[in-house]
Amino acid sequence: MEEPQVVVRRSARRKRTIGARQEGDTLVVSIPASASRAQEERWVAEMIAKMQRSEARRRPGRAAGDAELAARADALARDHLDAAGPDGRWPRPDGVRWVPPMRTRWASCTPTEGTIRVSERLREVPGWVLDHVLVHELVHLREPGHGPAFRALEARYPRSERAIGYLEGLSDGAGLDIGSEPDEA
């Protein structure tokens, strides 16, 4: 993640506290007027790191590569699906990767090849929405359709219903012709 543009504002009214907020692409760090240059540098570095950690939690796909996406899918399978798998282990995909934006879906799974492809449009969604899409595609490794067995497995991810609503709103708001399901038109 690249370093943001930083503006430091010193305030005579500020005595001990440090503040930071995002204004567009700029990080504004507010510090006491009495702070030394060394303290300013330390606080700016700390606020940049804090902002980047926060952004990574909120939008985990933004900087994630294919390896991080695959690791996330593996963790989701372990946490939500392994108990439903044969011998206590859900099948793992052979590959999980980002692909250029798809026209009619958020993601897709090819069970015969064991691959999952996720639209780069999802790089900007909150982590829990990306997690739902990955769980949805992981379920397709065993259940090709969207019948009752599929729905029961998909529901093992507790925020699925909420994520589906988020994706519907995102699709409508952006004027996309993408269905409510991650892999349906």
Side-chain angles (χ1 to χ4, degrees), residues 30-110:
S30 301
I31 62 173
S34 61
S36 69
R37 291 286 174 209
Q39 289 172 320
E40 176 183 321
E41 289 175 15
R42 181 177 64 86
W43 280 112
V44 166
E46 190 170 316
M47 292 299 157
I48 288 171
K50 184 177 181 179
M51 180 198 66
Q52 289 173 336
R53 284 190 307 270
S54 175
E55 187 64 22
R57 280 191 305 273
R58 277 197 322 267
R59 309 277 186 226
R62 184 171 284 174
D66 291 348
E68 290 91 353
L69 192 62
R72 191 174 189 95
D74 189 60
L76 289 163
R78 183 181 58 248
D79 294 347
H80 301 288
L81 299 172
D82 273 357
D87 302 323
R89 182 161 166 83
W90 193 260
R92 299 304 199 265
D94 292 327
V96 182
R97 64 187 172 96
W98 294 105
V99 295
M102 300 177 188
R103 288 183 308 175
T104 59
R105 42 183 80 177
W106 297 113
S108 65
C109 176
T110 305

Side-chain angles (χ1 to χ4, degrees), residues 109-153:
C109 176
T110 305
T112 56
E113 296 175 10
T115 58
I116 293 174
R117 290 155 311 285
V118 180
S119 172
E120 287 185 342
R121 281 192 172 105
L122 296 179
R123 284 188 178 274
E124 298 296 321
V125 301
W128 53 272
V129 175
L130 178 59
D131 289 349
H132 160 73
V133 171
L134 288 169
V135 167
H136 181 100
E137 299 308 329
L138 286 164
V139 172
H140 278 306
L141 293 173
R142 281 260 181 239
E143 292 290 332
H146 292 104
F150 178 92
R151 294 291 174 215
L153 289 165

